[in-house]
């Protein structure tokens, strides 16, 4: 790092510590690797990197860009000394370039020991090769988001560990902080599936509580319902939303604003049922990549289900509601929709609604 770069970064960190009241020490290895990867960015621009445990996923401050990536790491419990590996370690980056001064804030999410009572959250120990891969991909994202460049889409994948136990949402900081839709991608893990279903059920029951008294409504997932083919006596509602996906092969994550959700609904003898199917996508860089479930934010789940309840009023109760529906919160997506990797497109049923 040249003298001017070091001076800028030191001054920025000192000012930020005064503002935040926290000391955000950056491991020297991260700084060294980042400066090495960032040295070929536009000449005259100065970039520095800092750790910030207050940044929130999908909530960057105005003027900042975001990048989210998974990696592998080891954790060690400070209480009992137990160690465990994880291939689901999320790292969030917020970045900004202003007046030729570039800043990257980093937040690696922590985990705690599942065997200790009141175990503290532990920092991930990420190997040098995986730090290098993370920061190489980060610099490529800086080129896209801060310089409007179009580098080749050849992100490197982190080195995975042999993990014998499944992901533990109850011991993962991102899940505990109600970042469920961002970290707990449903991949056959029954515990994660249950938590996702509970969130949908809770929000649906809250939205449906003002439907006709004495009618009982419940919502369930059903991967077998087909768009435009509801069973006799059932009504249909189809809507797109935004979501994130994470490849279980390589850990690559991507956002999409074309995630199709299908609802089939029926009211019979005061018993209302809604079946929901969320269409999946797979990784475009892996061979024979599995289809991954969408991770939808709580806000967008709420918008989906609010619009659904309005549709129930129209289709099941013959009420006259306004046609206007709330629009989902979209993500900053830099690449076009990939029909070859969208389950709904492959089946010829993807919509733009």
């Amino acid at each position: 790092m040249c003298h001017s770069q070091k001076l800028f970064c030191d001054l920025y960190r000192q000012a930020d510590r005064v503002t935040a009241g926290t000391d955000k020490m950056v491991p020297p290895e991260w700084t060294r690797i980042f400066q090495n990867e960032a040295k070929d960015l536009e000449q005259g621009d100065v970039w520095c990197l800092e750790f910030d445990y207050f940044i929130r996923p999908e909530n960057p401050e105005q003027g900042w860009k975001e990048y989210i990536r998974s990696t592998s790491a080891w954790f060690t419990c400070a209480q009992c000394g137990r160690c465990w590996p994880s291939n689901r370690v999320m790292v969030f980056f917020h970045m900004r370039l202003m007046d030729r001064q570039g800043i990257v804030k980093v937040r690696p999410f922590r985990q705690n020991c599942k065997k200790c009572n009141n175990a503290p959250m532990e920092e991930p120990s990420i190997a040098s090769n995986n730090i290098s891969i993370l920061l190489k991909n980060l610099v490529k994202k800086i080129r896209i988001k801060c310089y409007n460049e179009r580098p080749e889409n050849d992100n490197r994948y982190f080195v995975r560990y042999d993990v014998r136990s499944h992901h533990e949402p109850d011991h993962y900081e991102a899940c505990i902080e109600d970042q469920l839709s961002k970290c707990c991608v449903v991949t056959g893990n029954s515990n994660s599936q249950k938590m996702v279903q509970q969130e949908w059920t809770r929000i649906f029951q809250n939205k449906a509580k003002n439907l006709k008294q004495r009618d009982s409504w419940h919502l369930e997932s059903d991967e077998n319902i087909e768009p435009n083919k509801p069973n006799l006596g059932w009504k249909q509602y189809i809507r797109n939303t935004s979501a994130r996906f994470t490849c279980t092969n390589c850990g690559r994550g991507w956002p999409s604003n074309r995630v199709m959700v299908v609802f089939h609904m029926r009211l019979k003898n005061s018993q209302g049922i809604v079946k929901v199917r969320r269409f999946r996508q797979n990784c475009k860089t892996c061979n024979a990549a599995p289809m991954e479930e969408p991770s939808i934010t709580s806000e967008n789940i709420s918008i989906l289900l609010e619009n659904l309840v309005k549709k129930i009023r129209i289709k099941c109760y013959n009420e006259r509601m306004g046609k206007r529906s709330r629009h989902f919160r979209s993500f900053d997506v830099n690449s076009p929709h990939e029909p070859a990797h969208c389950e709904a497109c492959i089946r010829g049923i993807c919509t733009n609604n």
Side-chain angles (χ1 to χ4, degrees), residues 256-305:
S256 174
N257 292 323
R258 291 276 298 277
V259 181
M260 186 175 175
V261 183
V262 177
F263 301 95
H264 287 180
M265 65 198 87
R266 183 188 70 183
L267 176 62
K268 184 177 181 180
N269 299 327
S270 294
Q271 300 293 324
I273 302 173
V274 175
K275 296 184 177 183
V276 56
R277 179 177 181 181
R278 299 163 284 260
F279 278 83
R280 303 170 297 173
Q281 296 182 19
N282 70 355
C283 181
K284 65 182 180 181
T285 58
C286 287
N287 292 326
M291 283 289 172
E292 308 293 356
E293 296 285 343
S295 294
I296 306 174
T297 64
S298 296
E299 180 182 13
N300 277 335
I301 295 172
S302 180
I303 292 169
L304 270 173
L305 297 181

